[in-house]
Amino acid sequence: MPHVGSRMKRPDDPRILTGRGRYVDDVALSRMVHVAFVRSVHAHARLVRVDVARARRAPDVAGVLTGDEARRLCKPYRGVLLHYQGMKTGAMLPLAVERARYVGEPVVALAAASRAAAEDAAALVRVEYEALPAVLDPEAALAPGAPLIHGELGDNVIYETRLAGGDPARAFASASRTWRRTFRIGRHTGVPIEPRSLVADYEPATRALTLWISSQVPHMMQAIVSDLFGLPEQRVRVVAPDVGGSFGIKIHVYQDDLAACALALVLGRPVKWVATRRESFLADIHAREQTVAIEVAADADGTLTAMRAEITAAVGPYSAYPRSSVVEGGQVLRLLPGPYRLRHYEARLRVVAQNKGITSQYRAVGHPIATAVTESMVELIARDLGLDPAEVRRRNLVRPDEFPFTSVTGNVYDSGSYHAALETLLLRAGYEDLRREQGRARAAGRAVGIGLACFVELTGPGAQFYGIGGAPISGQEGTTVRLEPSGAVTVLTGLTDQGQGTRTALAQIVADELGVPVESVAVVSGDTAVVPYGGGTWASRGMPIGGSATLLAGKALRERVTRVAAALLEAHAADVELGGGRATVRGTDKALALGDLARTVHFRSNELRGVEPSLEATVHYTNPGAWTFTNGAHLAVVELDTETGRVRVRRYVAVDDCGRLVNPALVDGQVQGGVAQGIGGALWERCVYDAAGQLLTTTLMDYAVPTAADLPPIEVHHLETPAPGIAGGYKGAGEGGTAGAPAAILNAVNDALAPFGAMLTEQPVTAERVLAALRGAGDPAPRR
């Protein structure tokens, strides 16, 4: 986000631009204070005493806030969604009160004239802890007599449910063969380039709070800040300027964000906080820590007949607010059958509390786990039956004539190109040639593997995810399109942009509808005081929901413009065409530039007869169904160093069907970025805790994100199957790469390990794990 005061002054104005057209006086800037936090150094501890006396007296300190003081300003809140029946969790506050439940939980917030002064004061705070037993893994949390993270809840289970379809008991009883494995997916996090950050400015006289925040969801933040602090919602303005990456990390409400807002309320002056990288690792949500024990039945020809699973999701001490920490596990529960025609299924999900950082929604939410597990089982079955893994998929994928297809878990796959995506992938990658090359490499003693992955991706949800559960998260999206007197076009959208090119795509949609150059369209987003109400950016909803709202608003404005043009050109509206920035009567040379038309409406509306003098249209849109499904097929080629265990990705090919494409180059970037993130999670990224619950990976020296040197060129190919229930036919594109990559990489590694008689079921696939698998196989040479 723009740091207040960091932009150049206008030569003729003594004020400084902070973003979205608001100026802050130099006096106000001089009053701005910077926040630092004292955070718990224990995974689980009672706060015996918190002494802030010396910190309050420290130089340049403006204010110090303890947990007891913060809870008098902010209501407690719980990340519970009502449609997850039986869900429970402890209440959160901006700062820990009485007990800290994870390393990094904020205990004291301090504000000073500079960040350095605030950090110096934080060092003067004395917290006396009584260490309590920490519960770090789900098995320990579920054990009889386990220490309770929230004593009032009675146990450490946040949520438990079962899901079944068909007759799995009979299907397994009659199965010709079954396969069973347990997969463990490591915990990792998003690591956006720009950390979480905010400036909160409170005006006591009007009880107005302006919050500039690096967020994907400004209207959600407006509603929550208003509610928790008891402020009039119309007096809370949230501005989310250009955001430097997010990946779902910035759709949540964090304790430290609320503590900074509380300081602004207490001090009545601007408050600024920017997370350090260490704070980001400690306090940003994590994701993916799950164990999936799965059993699959199949016929001798590879036809999948039944599946059952036990899913355990470890999510930290609290359920994240307001989206909860159960959705990722719930996604795995419903997505395990994948894009296949499996008809018998049963599974149980347990979401368990632990004394680690909170986990919740992060890019692709559950899809990478479900896809990696199921696709690994498909490859295992193919290998054991002596079948080509591509052929096994052909025999099981949902067929084109079966759409819309209701999966055994109740997901409705509205449309897709499952078979076409696989065949396109095999063709574009040169699959048969790759297999021949692999054979030659193995003959030369090299461990080369080829991995496939087919997947579905849930995108564009409406209210079914959160709204029906009571969360203040809009399932609809609003867009206003306005023709300015100059003939330029302004678009106001509730979507936000974290670098994915949303504004470019929306400008293209509007330019096409109105027949104007895309350069003449300006898109404004991220300011609750300006844009229509909307849900923001999450769950790949930008184009399906926001793009459709923009398309319909563009069409509505087009109709208005043609009616006005018809009146001014003395023609029938049906005969008016828009193009080249002009309104023209079809078949004649009668035309009017849109700028001239707009100036007439705005300045000489008396010339209109019987036509509303308006050149603005607003449309709010929601998915009439639950969601729409993207699909794809990916292929990875890897080579293992059998002496060091290192995995090198030699080639990666992706075929994605994102519905109607607005800007293929932007979609390429989304897929490539998603693949890179998925490969990172598959091979390197993990949040490592020690036996005491201390996070050991709190720098980019310890937490390994992929670099350009680690990745091959990512080849992307597109199919377009329009979403039948979405106005623009759009589907989401932001998460498919992340959904497919871990599965393709794991399958490629296991294909390389297969000649050694080894198989890995843990991610990330580190060099240590590869070597352990090779040692466990007990055979130093591959079996050919």
Side-chain angles (χ1 to χ4, degrees):
M1 63 177 286
H3 297 165
V4 173
S6 65
R7 296 194 179 187
M8 295 179 60
K9 295 181 183 179
R10 286 178 12 187
D12 60 341
D13 198 321
R15 300 172 296 173
I16 293 176
L17 181 66
T18 64
R20 301 302 178 210
R22 172 167 175 162
Y23 287 86
V24 172
D25 293 336
D26 287 337
V27 173
L29 286 168
S30 69
R31 297 175 60 244
M32 186 169 70
V33 291
H34 301 257
V35 178
F37 290 95
V38 175
R39 297 178 182 271
S40 174
V41 297
H42 291 277
H44 197 192
R46 189 169 70 86
L47 304 179
V48 178
R49 187 171 64 93
V50 179
D51 183 357
V52 298
R54 291 179 63 202
R56 290 190 194 279
R57 297 193 298 270
D60 296 325
V61 169
V64 177
L65 197 66
T66 65
D68 283 329
E69 293 163 341
R71 72 174 169 181
R72 289 195 287 270
L73 298 168
C74 177
K75 297 192 302 188
Y77 52 96
R78 298 175 190 265
V80 172
L81 294 174
L82 301 178
H83 56 301
Y84 287 90
Q85 295 184 1
M87 184 186 173
K88 62 184 187 294
T89 186
M92 278 189 283
L93 287 162
L95 300 169
V97 175
E98 298 180 358
R99 188 182 293 197
R101 292 179 170 87
Y102 64 96
V103 172
E105 183 168 12
V107 177
V108 177
L110 305 96
S114 68
R115 178 65 179 258
E119 296 285 1
D120 288 345
L124 300 176
V125 174
R126 294 292 176 261
V127 181
E128 181 182 342
Y129 297 94
E130 178 189 331
L132 300 172
V135 181
L136 301 176
D137 62 76
E139 292 78 12
L142 295 169
L148 297 182
I149 296 174
H150 299 279
E152 70 276 14
L153 300 182
D155 58 33
N156 293 319
V157 178
I158 288 177
Y159 179 66
E160 183 171 1
T161 191
R162 293 178 180 272
L163 181 63
D167 191 347
R170 177 177 292 183
F172 273 100
S174 60
S176 60
R177 189 169 173 186
T178 63
W179 289 259
R180 182 183 295 118
R181 290 290 188 277
T182 297
F183 292 81
R184 291 180 174 83
I185 311 299
R187 169 185 283 245
H188 51 281
T189 186
V191 199
I193 293 175
E194 176 197 59
R196 290 188 295 114
S197 46
L198 64 83
V199 172
D201 185 11
Y202 181 63
E203 175 50 63
T206 58
R207 299 189 69 210
L209 176 70
T210 301
L211 176 63
W212 292 269
I213 185 168
S214 183
S215 174
Q216 301 170 237
V217 283
H219 281 108
M220 184 199 86
M221 290 302 301
Q222 179 192 39
I224 287 172
V225 169
S226 165
D227 175 55
L228 294 183
F229 289 104
L231 298 171
E233 187 165 337
Q234 73 275 14
R235 295 290 187 184
V236 177
R237 178 188 180 190
V238 176
V239 183
D242 291 339
V243 173
S246 179
F247 317 119
I249 298 299
K250 298 170 183 175
I251 59 173
H252 307 283
V253 174
Y254 291 90
Q255 291 171 279
D256 38 31
D257 289 343
L258 294 178
C261 290
L263 275 170
L265 297 181
V266 169
L267 300 174
R269 57 197 295 187
V271 167
K272 175 180 177 179
W273 177 66
V274 180
T276 65
R277 185 58 64 187
R278 174 178 169 79
E279 285 181 305
S280 294
F281 278 117
L282 286 171
D284 286 0
I285 64 101
H286 298 168
R288 310 281 200 257
E289 186 179 347
Q290 293 194 21
T291 301
V292 181
I294 188 168
E295 185 176 13
V296 179
D299 292 335
D301 66 354
T303 300
L304 307 179
T305 57
M307 179 185 289
R308 54 190 173 202
E310 289 277 341
I311 306 157
T312 305
V315 300
Y318 305 99
S319 175
Y321 184 78
R323 294 168 191 268
S324 90
S325 296
V326 305
V327 171
E328 185 169 54
Q331 291 276 71
V332 176
L333 180 73
R334 290 168 176 79
L335 290 168
L336 273 174
Y340 301 116
R341 300 166 62 246
L342 185 84
R343 303 316 298 166
H344 304 286
Y345 176 80
E346 64 178 348
R348 177 173 69 152
L349 166 67
R350 288 183 296 179
V351 179
V352 182
Q354 59 179 165
N355 292 115
K356 293 182 181 178
I358 300 168
T359 77
S360 191
Q361 283 74 299
Y362 161 55
R363 192 175 194 171
V365 195
H367 293 74
I369 301 170
T371 304
V373 169
T374 299
E375 291 301 289
S376 293
M377 296 304 288
V378 169
E379 299 251 334
L380 173 62
I381 291 167
R383 191 175 302 122
D384 282 1
L385 295 178
L387 299 171
D388 187 287
E391 182 57 34
V392 172
R393 289 177 171 86
R394 286 189 185 102
R395 296 174 185 180
N396 289 281
L397 286 167
V398 174
R399 299 168 184 146
D401 60 356
E402 293 179 307
F403 291 106
F405 180 87
T406 302
S407 79
V408 67
T409 63
N411 283 330
V412 178
Y413 301 157
D414 54 316
S415 60
S417 55
Y418 300 179
H419 281 268
L422 175 61
E423 299 305 328
T424 301
L425 176 72
L426 301 178
L427 176 65
R428 295 288 190 172
Y431 181 69
E432 297 299 330
D433 289 339
L434 286 176
R435 287 296 183 193
R436 284 190 286 270
E437 291 172 14
Q438 180 186 39
R440 291 191 292 270
R442 286 181 173 178
R446 295 164 55 199
V448 174
I450 301 169
L452 297 174
C454 293
F455 62 90
V456 293
E457 178 201 349
L458 185 157
T459 75
Q464 292 81 354
F465 254 34
Y466 301 114
I468 63 172
I473 301 168
S474 178
Q476 61 82 41
E477 201 58 63
T479 299
T480 295
V481 183
R482 181 171 64 234
L483 183 63
E484 306 290 359
S486 66
V489 179
T490 299
V491 179
L492 310 176
T493 176
L495 294 176
T496 54
D497 197 327
Q498 293 81 50
Q500 66 270 56
T502 297
R503 290 197 289 271
T504 297
L506 297 184
Q508 287 181 257
I509 291 171
V510 171
D512 285 349
E513 281 301 315
L514 298 181
V516 298
V518 70
E519 306 83 49
S520 69
V521 181
V523 179
V524 178
S525 65
D527 188 341
T528 60
V530 175
V531 303
Y533 206 94
T537 301
W538 46 273
S540 295
R541 68 188 296 275
M543 282 301 103
I545 311 301
S548 291
T550 302
L551 175 70
L552 296 177
K555 289 181 180 295
L557 179 56
R558 183 186 182 95
E559 292 180 5
R560 286 182 178 270
V561 170
T562 55
R563 286 200 298 270
V564 170
L568 295 176
L569 295 170
E570 298 180 335
H572 194 282
D575 294 329
V576 175
E577 297 177 333
L578 302 186
R582 301 169 66 83
T584 304
V585 179
R586 188 183 298 111
T588 75
D589 58 359
K590 296 173 63 176
L592 188 63
L594 292 186
D596 293 335
L597 178 149
R599 284 188 288 275
T600 300
V601 171
H602 287 292
F603 307 141
R604 302 188 305 279
S605 54
N606 59 297
E607 296 181 19
L608 299 177
R609 295 291 184 269
V611 178
E612 180 185 1
S614 170
L615 294 176
E616 180 173 304
T618 298
V619 170
H620 289 261
Y621 182 81
T622 190
N623 190 337
W627 34 66
T628 183
F629 276 90
T630 291
N631 68 275
H634 290 192
L635 178 146
V637 180
V638 305
E639 183 167 356
L640 312 183
D641 185 324
T642 57
E643 293 184 355
T644 67
R646 182 174 182 178
V647 179
R648 289 186 179 274
V649 184
R650 296 297 190 189
R651 193 173 176 201
Y652 201 97
V653 185
V655 175
D656 280 61
D657 187 338
C658 308
R660 180 186 172 199
L661 300 183
V662 175
N663 185 316
L666 291 177
V667 178
D668 282 353
Q670 285 291 289
V671 174
Q672 289 164 339
V675 167
Q677 222 159 1
I679 293 176
L683 293 179
W684 303 292
E685 296 184 43
R686 55 175 170 170
C687 300
V688 179
Y689 286 81
D690 69 11
Q694 296 291 332
L695 182 62
L696 304 179
T697 47
T698 58
T699 74
L700 290 172
M701 292 295 289
D702 307 303
Y703 185 96
V705 297
T707 68
D710 299 313
L711 302 173
I714 297 166
E715 306 165 42
V716 180
H717 306 280
H718 301 292
L719 299 175
E720 294 188 62
T721 304
I726 298 293
Y730 314 123
K731 298 181 180 181
E735 298 170 286
T738 311
I745 294 295
L746 182 58
N747 283 340
V749 170
N750 282 328
D751 188 45
L753 289 172
F756 300 88
M759 179 179 178
L760 282 170
T761 57
E762 289 186 278
Q763 287 186 331
V765 180
T766 61
E768 295 88 346
R769 285 172 174 165
V770 171
L771 288 177
L774 290 169
R775 287 195 298 266
D779 188 349
R783 294 191 295 270
R784 298 190 178 95

